[in-house]
Amino acid sequence: MTGPHGSTGAVVIDGKASAAQVREEVARDVAALVAETGRRPGLATVLIGADPASEVYVRNKRTACRAAGMEDLHRHLPADVSQEVAKKVLDELAADDNVSGILLQLPLPNHLDRRALLDRIPAEKDVDGLTVQSAGLLALGRDGLRPCTPAGVLRLLDDHAIPLRGAEVVVVGRSELVGRPLAQLLTARDATVTLCHSRTVDLAATCRRADVVVAAVGVPRLIGADAVRPGAVVIDVGIHREAGGLCGDVDFGPVAERAGHISPVPGGVGPMTIAMLLANTALAARRQFGG
């Protein structure tokens, strides 16, 4: 798999363009669903407390939801809310036919049991794909809603016609949010997947075997040019704020000189996460409405 630019540098993968396409597709699907069923998908975002970053993320999700023609069914709970009250709110949303998808914004205040609250969300409304039931469906290859960031990575690869069947893919990072589900999604697409982590011996040597490297480990510029073979595809899921601005898990400049394709930070995987959230919500609604 060689890059079309050879030694002049990689094709930069435009996540904003792919995300815009997904949003257009969702808006069309929502309009069709309303015409077919008379019902409009609804996304319930649940924000607990006043974490500034979480407030920004949720505001962006709500804005995108409304732009796609969906109902914005936001719930904001105080930081000191009890586990029982939070569970009750999630149970109410789970039982509400107007709610197609439920998203519990993370992280939660420390006194709350994150896993217990996530698992109040039924799989058919789990638009983040993070519950135990959703993870089980993915592991078994059964139909379900997939985590947004891994699904966004696959969409980027597809949009750039990156072949996955038979390809060797190295995923760096084994989080339940990105690394593990992405490895399962790639395996389902007939890729040969190596899942690396902090205990991997000679990470660079393992990455150099790969046709596709996905960096999702949370360490700034961990993946350097020595970890990428010429012409490989490099997807950077990380995002870090430094004095000079934002950077990812990949040392972009040197790696771009060797890779065939590379996703930037910002403007790569990031825009895809909300786009795939909208896609999941529309899909959930279609299944619930029978449209």
Side-chain angles (χ1 to χ4, degrees), residues 27-202:
R28 287 196 298 270
D29 191 35
V30 169
L33 196 55
V34 173
E36 293 164 15
T37 68
R39 300 177 64 189
R40 190 173 297 278
L43 175 63
T45 48
V46 180
L47 177 63
I48 301 178
D51 177 75
S54 291
E55 288 184 331
V56 170
Y57 296 149
V58 168
R59 184 164 61 247
N60 290 342
K61 290 167 185 175
R62 295 176 65 193
T63 299
C65 164
R66 293 191 296 268
M70 301 182 189
E71 295 289 343
D72 171 16
L73 305 173
H74 179 63
R75 300 291 296 271
H76 191 175
L77 306 178
D80 61 355
V81 68
S82 70
Q83 183 84 9
E84 286 304 312
V85 170
K87 282 170 58 176
K88 183 180 178 183
V89 168
L90 291 170
D91 289 346
E92 289 171 356
L93 294 172
D96 188 342
D97 288 340
N98 294 315
V99 175
S100 310
I102 303 169
L103 183 148
L104 178 62
Q105 182 65 40
L106 303 176
L108 300 180
N110 290 334
H111 70 283
L112 295 175
D113 183 335
R114 165 181 172 273
R115 176 47 61 194
L117 290 179
L118 280 174
D119 286 335
R120 309 301 294 188
I121 302 172
E124 63 270 17
K125 296 188 178 186
D126 178 23
V127 289
D128 247 353
L130 296 182
T131 67
V132 166
Q133 190 175 357
S134 293
L137 292 170
L138 172 58
L140 295 174
R142 292 173 57 182
D143 229 7
L145 299 171
R146 305 314 192 201
C148 301
T149 300
V153 170
L154 279 191
R155 176 63 187 249
L156 285 179
L157 293 170
D158 288 343
D159 282 356
H160 287 79
I162 306 301
L164 293 175
R165 177 174 291 177
E168 183 158 4
V169 182
V170 169
V171 178
V172 186
R174 55 180 169 179
S175 73
E176 65 183 63
L177 301 178
V178 181
R180 293 183 188 185
L182 179 57
Q184 292 172 320
L185 288 170
L186 289 163
T187 301
R189 294 284 296 273
D190 297 323
T192 299
V193 182
T194 301
L195 188 59
C196 294
H197 45 76
S198 60
R199 301 293 187 272
T200 298
V201 176
D202 201 349

Side-chain angles (χ1 to χ4, degrees), residues 1-13 160 162 210-213 228-235 254-263:
M1 191 182 298
T2 57
H5 294 307
S7 62
T8 62
V11 173
V12 177
I13 292 173
H160 287 79
I162 306 301
D211 300 303
V212 180
V213 176
V228 177
R229 70 169 183 76
V233 177
V234 180
I235 303 293
V255 171
E257 288 300 311
R258 290 177 63 83
H261 291 73
I262 188 170
S263 71

